[in-house]
Amino acid sequence: MTRINEAQLIDTIRATQTAYHKLTILVGETHAGKTPLLKRIAMELDLPVLNLGLPLSQRLLSKSRRQISLQSADIATELIDEHISKGICIDNTELLFQGPLKMDPLAFFEKVSRNRYVIATWNGTFVNGELRFGEPGHPDHFHKAAAGYPVVAVKENELELHLTA
């Protein structure tokens, strides 16, 4: 773990250009400052910001439960592709964790970051190399080791860089 400033974070994101996954995760609890940080990154790198929750939920409304579990990742990818440039900043990702979608949000971000920068917010924590969402026992609880891309813990204007192996 290394404390960094925003300029160093931008340099870290640019360095992912040659990585297999061009992914950076901004992780933090609610109101930690992830969204304002993401917007500043988007301005600096001239990237669009996608509020994923709203358009994804709108497109899933007309789907059956089975269709939701089968098509949610494809629909989310389509939304990202509609905003694509050299990359994208993705905010409000909590919908990806809901049980009916049957998604692995981290695998989803890894997949869509193979050919473009993806900077995504993650409402949760980073503990012992694992990204976590929700509390154990909660139906939407998710935890998985992150590997091969930077994870930045955002805590009230402090940034902690974790380079995952």
Side-chain angles (χ1 to χ4, degrees):
M1 184 270 306
T2 306
R3 290 196 193 279
I4 60 171
N5 60 36
E6 285 188 35
Q8 292 167 313
L9 173 56
I10 297 295
D11 290 342
T12 299
I13 292 167
R14 285 184 174 130
T16 67
Q17 184 175 8
T18 58
Y20 184 72
H21 297 292
K22 296 157 187 51
L23 176 63
T24 303
I25 302 280
L26 305 178
V27 61
E29 300 286 350
T30 303
H31 303 295
K34 299 179 301 292
T35 297
L37 175 62
L38 187 72
K39 289 178 180 178
R40 291 190 302 272
I41 291 167
M43 279 185 45
E44 178 69 28
L45 296 175
D46 193 29
L47 298 175
V49 176
L50 172 63
N51 172 349
L52 186 61
L54 181 61
L56 180 57
S57 63
Q58 288 172 334
R59 291 198 187 176
L60 293 175
L61 275 175
S62 64
K63 306 288 183 193
S64 70
R65 222 172 155 78
R66 179 166 164 64
Q67 289 173 318
I68 288 171
S69 67
L70 294 173
Q71 298 175 9
S72 57
D74 291 338
I75 293 169
T77 301
E78 288 171 14
L79 287 166
I80 291 167
D81 288 344
E82 289 171 8
H83 294 84
I84 199 58
S85 59
K86 61 188 172 196
I88 190 164
C89 295
I90 306 173
D91 199 14
N92 298 309
T93 61
E94 294 82 2
L95 184 61
L96 298 177
F97 296 91
Q98 291 188 357
L101 273 62
K102 297 187 179 173
M103 284 183 68
D104 176 336
L106 196 52
F108 170 75
F109 288 137
E110 290 169 353
K111 181 179 177 184
V112 297
S113 69
R114 288 188 188 147
N115 300 315
R116 66 192 125 211
Y117 287 122
V118 173
I119 301 96
T121 60
W122 185 288
N123 194 15
T125 58
F126 186 69
V127 180
N128 298 326
E130 279 189 345
L131 283 160
R132 298 179 182 180
F133 177 85
E135 298 296 322
H138 189 277
D140 296 335
H141 175 68
F142 179 88
H143 63 95
K144 186 175 180 182
Y149 40 85
V151 173
V152 179
V154 181
K155 298 177 184 175
E156 298 180 19
N157 297 322
E158 284 190 11
L159 305 175
E160 296 177 351
L161 175 64
H162 301 266
L163 297 174
T164 61

